[in-house]
């Protein structure tokens, strides 16, 4: 898993539920390391974020999950 430090608690919850070994780099990998990791993946599943565009740029196949957004977080009305 990849993501920023503010997503650490959520990533640990997902990791606990996964039932399989997980490499959790949330809050540990910077942008360059995350790009390198994405370049080596067979598939990236993630939210509609800028990093999904980065993954596409490094040739990573991806599935983007779209859904309700937090109006408080993103300033939508």
């Amino acid at each position: 898993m990849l993501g920023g430090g503010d997503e650490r608690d959520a990533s640990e919850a997902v990791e606990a539920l996964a039932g399989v070994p997980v490499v959790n780099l949330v809050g540990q990998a910077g942008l360059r390391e995350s790009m390198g990791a994405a370049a080596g993946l067979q598939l990236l599943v993630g939210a509609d974020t800028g990093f999904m565009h980065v993954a596409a740029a490094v040739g990573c196949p991806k599935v983007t999950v779209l859904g309700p957004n937090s109006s408080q977080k993103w300033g939508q009305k």
Side-chain angles (χ1 to χ4, degrees), residues 8-75:
R8 188 75 187 159
D9 290 343
S11 74
E12 290 172 353
V14 170
E15 185 176 4
L17 293 170
V20 295
V22 174
V23 176
N24 187 347
L25 299 176
V26 173
Q28 300 176 44
L31 181 57
R32 289 180 188 262
E33 293 87 3
S34 295
M35 290 171 68
L41 295 176
Q42 292 180 1
L43 178 67
L44 177 66
V45 177
D48 182 23
T49 65
F51 188 70
M52 295 306 276
H53 296 278
V54 171
V58 298
C60 178
K62 60 190 178 21
V63 174
T64 303
V65 179
L66 303 172
N69 294 318
S70 167
S71 60
Q72 292 176 322
K73 183 172 183 177
W74 301 108

